[in-house]
Amino acid sequence: YWQNRQAIQGAALYDAVEVAARSGDQARMTQAFGDLKGKYAGTAQAGHAGLAVGAAQYAAGSIDAASEALTWVAKEAGDAGIKAVARLRLAGLLMDQGKFEDALRELAVSHPVEFDAAFADRRGDVLVLQDKRQEAISELRKAYAAMEPGLEYRRMVEIKLNSLGASVDAATVASAGVTGAAK
């Protein structure tokens, strides 16, 4: 009963966050998210709301507020997948700000294996921006090898590798140190 009640009340606050985010009401969104974190932090809705707040704040140009929301989700959300998404988004935000070492720290944290390819891809992006070409190629090869062969985004990773002068054949994927299908 208690868990059901928590989920229902958390869902109501999540809806308030969503409505406020869509309408651009920053004050209402911040208040609803604060209430959700304070009273129902353990619910799945709190993590999802934090991701929504982070996106809305970023779109509104409130980078610090977006970073704060994503940091909370990355540390406090109950679901490991939601935490991983928050870390990926936070790393992207830090990349945009030129805080490359901070971005790499976010990407070095343990995450579910399902996110290995996304984390490697994002690390590759950061390393390219740091002009660390060989390390970037290594990470992008890991990302490529970890992705399903039919996945559309895999082609994007291949393009990134090609732009760095690296090919994607069986030997390069094997040299990345991971198993996976190669083209």
Side-chain angles (χ1 to χ4, degrees), residues 70-164:
L70 292 171
T71 299
W72 182 87
V73 174
K75 290 180 181 176
E76 304 296 332
D79 182 88
I82 293 173
K83 284 182 175 185
V85 170
R87 288 198 184 281
L88 286 165
R89 289 183 183 179
L90 185 56
L93 189 146
L94 292 166
M95 280 175 36
D96 290 349
Q97 293 178 308
K99 297 178 180 178
F100 305 129
E101 292 303 322
D102 291 341
L104 288 173
R105 270 192 290 283
E106 287 298 325
L107 297 168
V109 174
S110 177
H111 56 272
V113 68
E114 297 85 7
F115 289 89
D116 283 351
F119 273 69
D121 176 54
R122 185 58 53 94
R123 278 192 301 272
D125 292 344
V126 174
L127 292 165
V128 165
L129 292 171
Q130 288 183 306
D131 214 16
K132 296 180 179 178
R133 188 176 172 276
Q134 289 306 315
E135 292 174 51
I137 289 170
S138 176
E139 289 298 324
L140 291 171
R141 284 179 175 160
K142 287 177 189 176
Y144 184 87
M147 291 180 183
E148 295 288 325
L151 188 63
E152 192 68 28
Y153 192 78
R154 193 175 196 218
R155 292 170 63 202
M156 178 61 76
V157 175
E158 183 177 2
I159 291 168
K160 290 178 186 182
L161 282 165
N162 289 338
S163 74
L164 294 170

Side-chain angles (χ1 to χ4, degrees), residues 51-73:
L51 294 176
V53 168
Q57 296 286 23
Y58 182 80
S62 300
I63 304 304
D64 290 339
S67 177
E68 183 180 318
L70 292 171
T71 299
W72 182 87
V73 174

